[in-house]
Amino acid sequence: MTNPLFVEVVGEEELTERVAQLGAEIRQDYEGREPVLVGVLNGSVPFMADLFRHLDPTTESEFLSLTRFGEEGRVSIALDTLEPIEGRDVLIVEDIVDTGLTLASLRRILDTRNPSSVAVVTLLDKTNRRIVEVDVEYRGFEVGDEFLVGYGLDWDGRYRNLRSLYAVLDMGAFREDPGSLARELFGTGLR
Ligand code: IMP
């Protein structure tokens, strides 16, 4: 028998449950305030959509998109929020924090805009890969080093719409044949 190339690490039901718990926690912590969720495109979209629906109806939603440049993980804002965040309670919504470089840069940028507060909610946290210290107020799951796809996470733009999270066990083989997961899951698809 050949070794499996992928393994499901968090299933749909577990994701649904954990997102509901995070939502309840945030709802309680922000009682009496009107936070604005700022989703980091594109990876946060499924998580944002699910989390958002557990929050108070006064909660607002915004998105932004980042461009990474340089080795140190510096970022600039490619697509900004529609409304200013000055004076607002901002909750950054991330799919995953890995080295922490992206989030540290983003926090620095948003801090210059004088929000009332900034906190981070990330679905996944690769804590043992951290290069810079960065505050993460809410996390869904701590995960290991493996490359993950699904529920927002992509490989070259693909697989963001999978309902569960999968770890790639053989990155070399996956790079050669990125359609292999689609074929394994659906018996069809991309090459
Ligand atoms: P950081 O700056 O190293 O924390 O990088 C965070 C970004 O790396 C995330 O927003 C993702 O775009 C990407 N990333 C990190 N780990 C994974 C993974 O396992 N799958 C897909 N993307 C990942």
Side-chain angles (χ1 to χ4, degrees):
M1 216 183 111
T2 53
N3 293 329
L5 294 175
F6 314 98
V7 62
E8 187 186 90
V9 285
V10 190
E12 193 176 347
E13 226 172 275
E14 204 182 342
L15 283 167
T16 304
E17 250 170 54
R18 185 68 187 122
V19 174
Q21 283 170 356
L22 285 172
E25 213 181 307
I26 291 168
R27 192 170 175 146
Q28 195 172 27
D29 291 353
Y30 284 80
E31 208 182 336
R33 293 190 278 168
E34 295 182 1
V36 54
L37 299 190
V38 177
V40 182
L41 293 170
N42 294 330
S44 71
V45 169
F47 177 43
M48 173 95 165
D50 289 342
L51 180 70
F52 190 45
R53 285 177 286 177
H54 289 286
L55 302 181
D56 193 273
T58 57
T59 310
E60 291 175 34
S61 65
E62 290 280 347
F63 289 94
L64 54 74
S65 171
L66 301 174
T67 307
R68 292 190 186 83
F69 56 93
E71 301 263 294
E72 315 84 53
R74 274 176 303 150
V75 298
S76 63
I77 295 193
L79 185 76
D80 213 334
T81 60
L82 292 175
E83 297 293 330
I85 59 161
E86 186 172 354
R88 302 298 309 269
D89 289 310
V90 172
L91 249 173
I92 300 172
V93 182
E94 270 281 20
D95 52 355
I96 189 163
V97 182
D98 184 9
T99 62
L101 290 165
T102 307
L103 186 58
S105 284
L106 178 59
R107 283 196 84 128
R108 262 197 308 277
I109 294 170
L110 296 189
D111 280 344
T112 64
R113 298 178 174 185
N114 301 317
S116 178
S117 68
V118 178
V120 171
V121 51
T122 186
L123 178 72
L124 304 164
D125 196 343
K126 289 183 170 175
T127 40
N128 58 10
R129 287 186 31 99
R130 207 62 105 248
I131 290 177
V132 287
E133 285 270 326
V134 62
D135 290 337
V136 175
E137 284 76 5
Y138 304 93
R139 62 170 61 78
F141 301 92
E142 264 193 43
V143 289
D145 288 358
E146 301 89 5
F147 191 81
L148 305 174
V149 292
Y151 200 68
L153 297 168
D154 75 311
W155 169 257
D156 206 14
R158 295 169 172 186
Y159 296 120
R160 290 194 198 277
N161 54 354
L162 299 181
R163 292 171 182 271
S164 301
L165 269 165
Y166 298 85
V168 179
L169 301 178
D170 183 342
M171 227 25 229
F174 190 52
R175 266 196 205 96
E176 294 262 305
D177 181 13
S180 49
L181 177 57
R183 290 199 304 280
E184 185 166 312
L185 294 177
F186 307 115
T188 166
L190 336 148
R191 290 278 146 195

